[in-house]
Amino acid sequence: MTITVTAPNGSTVDFPDGTDGDTINRVMSQNFGSKKGPDKYQQAAIDERKAIFPDQDAGGSYGNALTSDAGFTRRLVHGATLGADNTIMAGAMTPFEMIKRGTFDPREGYNYAKAREDLITGEAQKNTGVLGSAAEALGGAVAGGGLAKNGVTAARFLSPESGLLARPAASAADAGLLGGFSGAMEGNGLGERAENAIKSGLAGLVVGGAAPTVLGTVKGLLSPIVSNIMARYNPKGFAEGQVARAIHESKISPDQLSLDAVQAANEGQGAYTLADAMGNAGQRMLSTVARAPGEGRTAVVQALESRQGDQGRRLSSAFREAFDAPQTAEQTRTRMVENANFEAGHNYAPVKRETSPIDVTAPVAIANRSISPAADNLARAQGAVPTDLAARAGIERSEAALRDPIGNALKEARSYLAAPNLTLSNVNHAFRAKTNIDMMISKATDNKQGALVAELVPIRDALDEALARSSSNYSAARDAYRTAQRRIEALDLGKLTGAKPGRPEDAIRAFNELPDAEAQTAFRRGYADPQISYVQNAPFGTNKARPFTSEATRQEFDAFAVPGRGDQLQRQIGREQTMFETRNQALGGSRTVDNLNDHAAMAVDPHVLAKVLSADWHGAVKSVINAGQNVLSGNTPEVRRQIADILLQSGRDIRPDQLSKMVTDTIKRIEFVQALAQNAGRAAAGGLAATVPDVVAPQRIYVSPQR
């Protein structure tokens, strides 16, 4: 026994006996149902459109396309408002429809207005097809992006520690909410709006959750292709974009980069480049260029090797300027000695002609005690004055039988001042006597006769004091000569300190205890000599700046440099250290990468040949693809050359306005792409929500079953 049902088109369908009426109605509706005809509001809208466009068949979403005035703009607005444009515009037009229809019921006015807006939107959907759906999706992306920019997004609650699934979950939540809202804006009546909200919300959850993963995959597939096209079409622009990205990563502003380069050039380091100023970001990018074949590598290698060879000259110049040392220490010392002797000759000239009386008792007394203590004691016991040599002669003659070179030398020194029957009495003769004793001390010093020097120096010093008391000319000349000698000694001390570094505290204290500014100048000139000698004699490739980066050396340099030049010296040393690090990053380390890139450029990769000979076709193809990955990623020889040209700029060639424009344009492009990626789920949800209400379930029809 079966139940036979006749469809509207006359065909019949048999159902098993006992099938309930709801099941029969559902099956028949799905297979033979037709859209319900327009209601009075929709019919009124169709009639109005016919009156406006009489040459076209009316219908819109209820029939055929009516007019071309409903197009992409309408769909873009529909997406941008997340489907709320019909509802908003209908609400705005309700008062006018109430007047037009002669009704006081706002619901009637709203229904007429809403039907007209739905008809226009339906026409736009039918007229524009797939491109219109894309425009609608774009509008949804703009709306979603605007909400995200203002913080209306679940992603704002994410943190760097959020798990792997957190971002897709946030994207799903955002798209679900937007999809639900967009669905609720579609349809008429609470029931239909609720149904559309659920459908669109669920669709948004699915699309939004999948969007980050799908987009990441698509980006991974398309990125090499896009990069390759951009690199070949505009290598300079592509290179600028890559450098701008590195500048942004360095966290250093273009203005600061330009300022650093100009300051370096002004301080004698014109070889300091943009790559150096950028720090690690610039060094690593330059390394990429230097490790792949092409003109870019040649330019980088030549530039880095050339400036490394000039590092010693730059540092030498920096030390000369910082320590005011235009000559070597030996040249400076020779000049200082010559000047001291010349000034001494000029200053002592009046002393040689001076006949003022002088008392030489004190130096003679010292000589007496040193020559023969016994004779001196006897003479003093008899009341003899020191210059009475006759009172001492007997004992001294008896002691002369013993060989005493020191005693004999002391007698010679005393003989310049006194004799048994004569005592020196004027300044000019006393000055000659001191000169003779000075010569004796100098000779004994050269012969390493320290004991004799120790005996002669007190005699000389006592005579010196007697001359100073007796002659103002001598006193002034002596003080000037002593000052010159102390400056020469300061030069020697500085050279010794620079050659044999010790505790900086001791060296700085000795420097501060020097008698005057001229002595400090001499010290710093001597101190600079060993530093300059080191950088001039260090072999090529050595980082000549490294020994001067210790904390102890920094303290000494700050203390000893000419006031106001210490900071500049530290900057210069720091730049030299950076420039060496740039060279080391670009050219140092393993040469494996360089060799592989060279093999790839020559197309003679031994790995490929080995795999072919062993019939490992899969491995051979993989090696070929890997060999060409630089080209696929846009890292072409021309791009590398352009990058090298940019990174090797220096001084005033680095224009901050150009760098700022490069960075700004690149950031805008990145932010635009990121915004599209972040809101792709929202866009898809918004576009899908706008189309879901069109795909409504067929209207149910009720057919009386016939047995």
Side-chain angles (χ1 to χ4, degrees), residues 75 78 125 133 136 186 200 686-696:
R75 297 208 67 179
H78 193 66
Q125 291 172 342
S133 298
E136 196 165 313
E186 300 286 352
S200 296
L688 183 60
T691 58
V692 164
D694 289 337
V695 193
V696 296

Side-chain angles (χ1 to χ4, degrees), residues 140-446:
V142 173
L147 291 173
K149 186 176 181 180
N150 289 281
V152 186
T153 171
R156 66 181 299 184
F157 299 106
L158 297 178
S159 66
E161 293 77 21
S162 298
L164 184 63
L165 298 178
R167 190 165 298 280
S171 177
D174 288 341
L177 291 174
L178 287 180
F181 173 80
S182 183
M185 292 296 100
E186 300 286 352
N188 299 291
L190 294 178
E192 186 178 357
R193 288 178 183 270
E195 182 180 358
N196 288 341
I198 294 173
K199 289 180 180 179
S200 296
L202 292 175
L205 284 172
V206 174
V207 175
T213 303
V214 173
L215 287 171
T217 303
V218 172
K219 178 183 177 183
L221 293 173
L222 295 182
S223 180
I225 299 174
V226 174
S227 296
N228 181 262
I229 294 173
M230 292 177 60
R232 292 185 178 277
Y233 174 72
N234 183 12
K236 182 177 181 181
F238 188 80
E240 289 179 347
Q242 295 300 307
V243 174
R245 174 184 56 79
I247 292 175
H248 184 62
E249 291 175 357
S250 73
K251 307 298 183 184
I252 305 175
S253 69
D255 287 340
Q256 186 61 48
L257 292 173
S258 176
L259 179 62
D260 290 346
V262 171
Q263 187 179 38
N266 292 339
E267 294 177 355
Q269 292 172 305
Y272 189 77
T273 66
L274 176 62
D276 302 311
M278 289 168 59
N280 184 259
Q283 292 168 348
R284 296 308 303 159
M285 177 161 282
L286 202 62
S287 172
T288 302
V289 176
R291 294 184 181 278
E295 294 181 14
R297 177 169 69 178
T298 302
V300 170
V301 172
Q302 288 179 346
L304 296 185
E305 293 289 21
S306 175
R307 80 175 187 184
Q308 178 60 30
D310 210 27
Q311 187 186 48
R313 182 197 61 78
R314 292 192 301 271
L315 280 172
S316 297
S317 177
F319 288 139
R320 290 191 186 97
E321 183 176 0
F323 296 111
D324 189 20
Q327 296 179 313
T328 67
E330 188 61 31
Q331 290 172 334
T332 303
R333 193 179 196 283
T334 299
R335 179 176 55 80
M336 292 176 70
V337 170
E338 290 175 351
N339 290 340
N341 291 338
F342 175 80
E343 291 178 358
H346 174 76
N347 294 334
Y348 282 117
V351 180
K352 295 178 182 179
R353 298 188 297 270
E354 192 170 342
T355 58
S356 301
I358 186 172
D359 181 7
V360 294
T361 301
V364 172
I366 295 174
N368 290 339
R369 288 194 297 271
S370 296
I371 292 170
S372 173
D376 187 57
N377 290 336
L378 177 62
R380 284 190 293 111
Q382 295 173 353
V385 296
T387 54
D388 185 0
L389 301 187
R392 295 166 172 78
I395 297 178
E396 288 183 1
R397 278 194 301 270
S398 63
E399 290 179 347
L402 300 175
R403 292 181 60 82
D404 182 7
I406 293 179
N408 292 334
L410 293 176
K411 288 179 182 179
E412 179 184 350
R414 185 181 64 181
S415 69
Y416 297 139
L417 301 172
N421 300 314
L422 181 65
T423 299
L424 186 150
S425 61
N426 57 49
V427 168
N428 64 337
H429 288 137
F431 177 68
R432 175 67 62 84
K434 180 182 176 299
T435 302
N436 290 331
I437 295 174
D438 282 336
M439 292 173 60
M440 292 180 67
I441 293 174
S442 177
K443 182 178 180 181
T445 301
D446 293 340

Side-chain angles (χ1 to χ4, degrees), residues 486-487 489-491 493-494 507-524 560:
R486 282 196 294 267
R487 291 169 181 169
E489 292 169 359
L491 175 79
L493 177 62
I508 293 172
R509 183 179 65 254
F511 176 79
N512 292 332
E513 290 175 352
L514 292 173
D516 54 28
E518 290 296 326
Q520 290 184 337
T521 297
F523 178 97
R524 63 172 60 99
F560 301 156

Side-chain angles (χ1 to χ4, degrees), residues 96-183:
F96 301 100
E97 287 296 327
M98 290 171 62
I99 297 172
K100 181 178 179 181
R101 306 294 174 181
T103 178
F104 292 99
D105 188 351
R107 291 175 299 179
E108 284 289 296
Y110 173 80
N111 288 337
Y112 280 112
K114 181 64 162 57
R116 181 177 61 255
E117 298 303 327
D118 288 344
L119 176 61
I120 296 173
T121 299
E123 293 170 358
Q125 291 172 342
K126 190 151 188 168
N127 291 343
T128 57
V130 175
L131 292 179
S133 298
E136 196 165 313
L138 177 61
V142 173
L147 291 173
K149 186 176 181 180
N150 289 281
V152 186
T153 171
R156 66 181 299 184
F157 299 106
L158 297 178
S159 66
E161 293 77 21
S162 298
L164 184 63
L165 298 178
R167 190 165 298 280
S171 177
D174 288 341
L177 291 174
L178 287 180
F181 173 80
S182 183

